[in-house]
């Protein structure tokens, strides 16, 4: 009986583990060109990026949805005051974040802090 309870608990723990893991985009990221730190955290069904330092501290840079390292949504260039279609691809501790207008995209690689 104890063995069955232990086994059931172990199986339940294995099933629940993926739900407890954070998405690849979650965390604090460094934009190397400006030294800006941005934290991506869950906000509803998406992930919101909030500036942690500098003159735009506390401002939102956008909202991305997705999973498994691929995300899409809206990205705001705070210096220009413009919002673009955005996409991010996360691989380990590197994120390739791009803002796009029509078929033209521009971006850079950010590093996890």
């Amino acid at each position: 009986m104890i063995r069955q309870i232990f086994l059931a608990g172990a199986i339940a723990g294995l099933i629940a583990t993926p739900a407890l893991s954070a998405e690849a985009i979650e965390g604090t990221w460094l934009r190397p060109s400006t030294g800006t730190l941005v934290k991506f955290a869950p906000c509803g069904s998406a992930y919101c990026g909030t500036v942690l330092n500098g003159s735009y501290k506390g401002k939102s840079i956008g909202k991305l949805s997705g999973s498994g390292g691929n995300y899409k949504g809206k990205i705001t260039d705070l210096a220009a005051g413009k919002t673009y279609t955005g996409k991010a691809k996360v691989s380990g501790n590197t994120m390739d974040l791009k803002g796009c207008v029509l078929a033209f995209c521009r971006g850079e690689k950010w590093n996890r802090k």
Side-chain angles (χ1 to χ4, degrees):
M1 180 71 161
I2 292 176
R3 183 176 173 197
Q4 290 173 333
I5 292 172
F6 177 76
L7 184 58
I11 291 171
L14 289 174
I15 292 170
T17 300
L20 298 176
S21 63
E23 270 299 323
I25 199 168
E26 287 184 64
T28 301
W29 296 87
L30 171 67
R31 181 179 181 194
S33 64
T34 62
T36 303
L37 292 172
V38 176
K39 181 175 184 173
F40 278 91
C43 60
S45 61
Y47 300 91
C48 293
T50 305
V51 178
L52 299 178
N53 64 337
S55 58
Y56 297 108
K57 184 177 181 178
K59 301 280 186 183
S60 171
I61 66 147
K63 193 176 198 178
L64 300 170
S65 298
S67 64
N70 294 302
Y71 304 87
K72 293 181 180 180
K74 297 290 182 183
I75 297 292
T76 300
D77 178 346
L78 295 173
K82 295 184 179 184
T83 300
Y84 304 97
T85 299
K87 56 186 174 180
K89 182 163 181 70
V90 178
S91 179
N93 289 324
T94 303
M95 174 171 54
D96 188 11
L97 183 67
K98 295 180 180 179
C100 305
V101 175
L102 300 174
F104 302 99
C105 297
R106 208 166 98 184
E108 66 183 328
K109 294 193 185 303
W110 293 19
N111 303 305
R112 189 183 305 271
K113 287 300 187 192

